Amino acid sequence: MVARPAAALRVLPDEPERPDEPTPVESYRRLADVFHEVLAEQSLDALLLRIGDALAELVPHDTLTIYEADEPQRVLVPVHVRDEYAEEILRTRVTFAEGITGWAARHREAVLVNQAHLDPRVRFVPGTPSEPEALISVPLIARSRIKGVLNIYRVGEDGAFGESEFELAKRFGDAAALALDNAQIRARLEHQARTDSLTGLFNHSAFHEQLLQALQEASRTRQPVSLLMLDIDDFKRVNDVHGHGVGDELLQLLADVLRGSVRPADVVCRLGGEEFAVVMRGCDGSRANGVAERLLQRVSEVEFPAVGRLTLSIGLALGPAHASNPRELAACAEAAMMAAKARGKNRIVLYVDADSERPGSPPEARDVRSLAHMKLLQSLTGKLSRLNDVREIGAEIAAELRSLIDYHNCRVFVADGEELVPVAFRGELASETNALPLELLRTRVGVGITGRCAELGEALLVGDAADCAFANHIAGTPVIEE
């Protein structure tokens, strides 16, 4: 495989079309299909893969590079490479002033050159050999802004692109640019939806998502999860004395201190007001306590403008030791944090079942995990009362239950006479070839574990479903331990 030249002049081929090339009508029919496929992709990473696959069907080529544009810096960053020298290419950024790639970006004009290695402006990627190849470079432009550049290559002395292929590549570039713009907008909106606008940390919604993922991972790996819940002591006085502007500035500065004090893999979130949380995967209580002590130390060393020094009250809870679902674990950490405040602030408290102290109140015997259950049920009841469609209700039950119990999959059925009709499924269910439709889960009262539960009108806990005497295996699915 050869180097990828990043510079060349446009040279149009004068050779006739290849006999095996598709007709223009066939090509544009395929292009229309590709437009639909590419524009339907939502994930940015999946989109890049789709662009590469789709372009290979339209314009066969040997190698491909997709660059994403940083227009303010006038730099092109390689984000997807199909080449023997992918590592070298991914390490090399191209400015708008360099070679064919930069020329295409700077002039916003697609370029075709069939002997790129001989062009005086050719720029070879460091670490790759300089051998003959043909190149098409297409700027990806959407909403009058350059989103990136698409480069495709044919390798060898005989490598060449025809004019019809050049036209197809340009038209494909229009779809790719629009799809890339849509994916970037979607990613930006998703980021904004999960990020606290003041501090740039994950917000309350993302916190529960991150904690759920951490606990699910812990159930697979048997590694602990630690959760720190922390609150700025006497923050209300800061706002009352200095105003909310100073309070906001303090929160931003504290967020920076927190980022710099935790482990690289730890997730820092702002839950609201002056309350923060740190989700720590693969971290036992001893190491989590060490991180918490470092937080207290770092904060105590900072002189915050107009305010002076701050202190934190920190609660520590461990999953799955204290709780195995996000709502319960968060409730445990919060209870420990409130106990830290009740014991004098500026300290760390590890949750234990007996911890029920709240500042200004006498100790009470209460189970914070039961309160978390109650809040979940209240939330679920409110959501279900607003739904009328049976399948929507089933989907909501499965989704909410996931935040309470870590399950592999969940199935919700509705009884219709002797029939048990599946209305929702969440998790994994696949045959040896592909996913099974929901309808294949349909069963009858008295048949299988599900039917037995309906027949008895009682909840069942089965330790090994595969070896259960009244289990009913779904044809085409693998037998697994569950």
Side-chain angles (χ1 to χ4, degrees):
M1 191 59 64
V2 301
R4 304 285 73 84
L9 295 174
R10 178 177 179 178
V11 179
L12 294 181
D14 53 10
E15 72 273 11
E17 279 193 358
R18 299 179 183 183
D20 58 347
E21 283 187 349
T23 65
V25 173
E26 291 172 341
S27 295
Y28 282 98
R29 281 177 179 168
R30 285 196 297 172
L31 183 62
D33 293 337
V34 166
F35 262 61
H36 177 74
E37 292 177 7
V38 171
L39 291 173
E41 199 62 69
Q42 296 187 1
S43 163
L44 188 56
D45 290 338
L47 172 63
L48 295 173
L49 292 172
R50 175 74 72 176
I51 288 174
D53 293 342
L55 185 58
E57 297 177 10
L58 284 175
V59 184
H61 52 270
D62 295 318
T63 67
L64 169 147
T65 301
I66 302 174
Y67 293 88
E68 193 169 10
D70 182 346
E71 196 167 13
Q73 299 296 322
R74 299 183 68 76
V75 170
L76 297 166
V77 181
V79 291
H80 185 69
V81 180
R82 298 187 179 188
D83 193 293
E84 180 181 351
Y85 298 96
E87 290 185 9
E88 289 81 359
I89 296 170
L90 287 168
R91 286 198 298 262
T92 305
R93 296 189 173 197
V94 179
T95 71
F96 281 22
E98 294 180 280
I100 182 67
T101 307
W103 191 97
R106 185 170 69 255
H107 294 276
R108 300 187 171 209
E109 182 179 332
V111 183
L112 163 63
V113 59
N114 274 332
Q115 287 188 319
H117 58 292
L118 299 180
D119 191 274
R121 288 202 249 174
V122 68
R123 174 183 179 269
F124 290 98
V125 174
T128 64
S130 56
E131 294 181 9
E133 63 188 357
L135 166 65
I136 291 176
S137 187
V138 181
L140 306 177
I141 300 172
R143 295 188 299 120
S144 301
R145 298 181 66 89
I146 183 160
K147 314 305 294 186
V149 175
L150 171 64
N151 281 2
I152 57 176
Y153 305 84
R154 280 184 181 151
V155 178
E157 290 283 359
D158 298 329
F161 291 102
E163 182 65 22
S164 62
E165 293 176 312
F166 184 42
E167 289 300 318
L168 272 178
K170 288 192 289 185
R171 299 290 76 79
F172 176 84
D174 293 339
L178 183 57
L180 188 61
D181 185 55
N182 288 342
Q184 289 172 340
I185 292 173
R186 187 177 295 108
R188 186 164 60 250
L189 292 175
E190 289 177 353
H191 175 75
Q192 291 173 353
R194 303 171 71 239
T195 305
D196 174 55
S197 59
L198 179 65
T199 63
L201 300 175
F202 281 115
N203 61 17
H204 189 273
S205 175
F207 161 70
H208 283 283
E209 176 187 312
Q210 291 287 328
L211 188 54
L212 173 60
Q213 291 174 0
L215 287 168
Q216 289 172 345
E217 181 181 310
S219 70
R220 295 191 301 270
T221 63
R222 307 303 181 194
Q223 293 294 313
V225 174
S226 293
L227 174 62
L228 299 179
M229 199 82 80
L230 48 121
D231 186 275
I232 303 174
D233 295 327
D234 303 313
F235 183 74
K236 183 178 183 301
R237 183 166 55 84
V238 173
N239 282 333
D240 292 343
V241 174
H242 302 283
H244 289 278
V246 171
D248 287 348
E249 183 180 356
L250 185 150
L251 292 171
Q252 292 170 324
L253 292 173
L254 178 61
D256 292 337
V257 174
L258 296 179
R259 286 191 192 95
S261 302
V262 301
R263 306 177 310 166
D266 296 338
V267 178
V268 185
C269 310
R270 182 190 176 202
L271 305 185
E274 68 273 28
E275 191 172 333
F276 296 80
V278 183
V279 180
M280 312 173 74
R281 303 184 187 211
C283 183
D284 60 22
S286 176
R287 284 188 293 169
N289 191 76
V291 172
E293 289 178 345
R294 185 163 65 244
L295 289 177
L296 289 182
Q297 180 65 29
R298 294 276 178 87
V299 170
S300 71
E301 294 171 351
V302 176
E303 188 79 24
F304 291 91
V307 176
R309 300 188 185 277
L310 298 175
T311 61
L312 302 176
S313 293
I314 302 178
L316 169 59
L318 310 175
H322 296 145
S324 58
N325 70 75
R327 292 177 185 268
E328 286 186 4
L329 192 60
C332 292
E334 184 178 18
M337 181 186 73
M338 299 308 294
K341 285 192 175 296
R343 297 178 190 180
K345 307 174 185 177
N346 192 28
R347 67 191 64 229
I348 305 158
V349 171
L350 173 66
Y351 174 81
V352 293
D353 290 343
D355 279 335
S356 58
E357 303 161 65
R358 300 185 69 87
S361 302
E364 302 173 12
R366 65 192 186 104
D367 187 343
V368 296
R369 290 169 295 188
S370 296
L371 293 178
H373 293 170
M374 189 182 304
K375 290 179 181 179
L376 170 66
L377 294 175
Q378 289 174 341
S379 172
L380 179 59
T381 300
K383 292 178 180 179
L384 296 183
S385 66
R386 295 189 294 270
L387 298 176
N388 296 314
D389 183 80
V390 173
R391 292 185 180 274
E392 289 182 359
I393 292 173
E396 192 66 49
I397 290 172
E400 285 293 317
L401 187 62
R402 190 62 177 270
S403 66
L404 186 63
I405 300 174
D406 178 28
Y407 59 71
H408 176 260
N409 68 60
C410 174
R411 310 169 192 181
V412 182
F413 296 82
V414 169
D416 183 7
E418 292 299 307
E419 293 285 319
L420 295 176
V421 182
V423 295
F425 179 87
R426 189 181 179 98
E428 299 177 8
L429 179 68
S431 66
E432 296 179 355
T433 55
N434 50 35
L436 291 173
L438 188 65
E439 187 61 23
L440 288 184
L441 294 174
R442 182 187 286 265
T443 187
R444 297 179 60 82
V445 174
V447 177
I449 297 174
T450 303
R452 184 67 173 269
C453 178
E455 181 180 44
L456 297 176
E458 298 177 359
L460 299 177
L461 174 62
V462 180
D464 187 351
D467 289 337
C468 179
F470 45 87
N472 181 39
H473 180 245
I474 300 174
T477 62
V479 177
I480 61 174
E481 293 182 4
E482 60 180 3

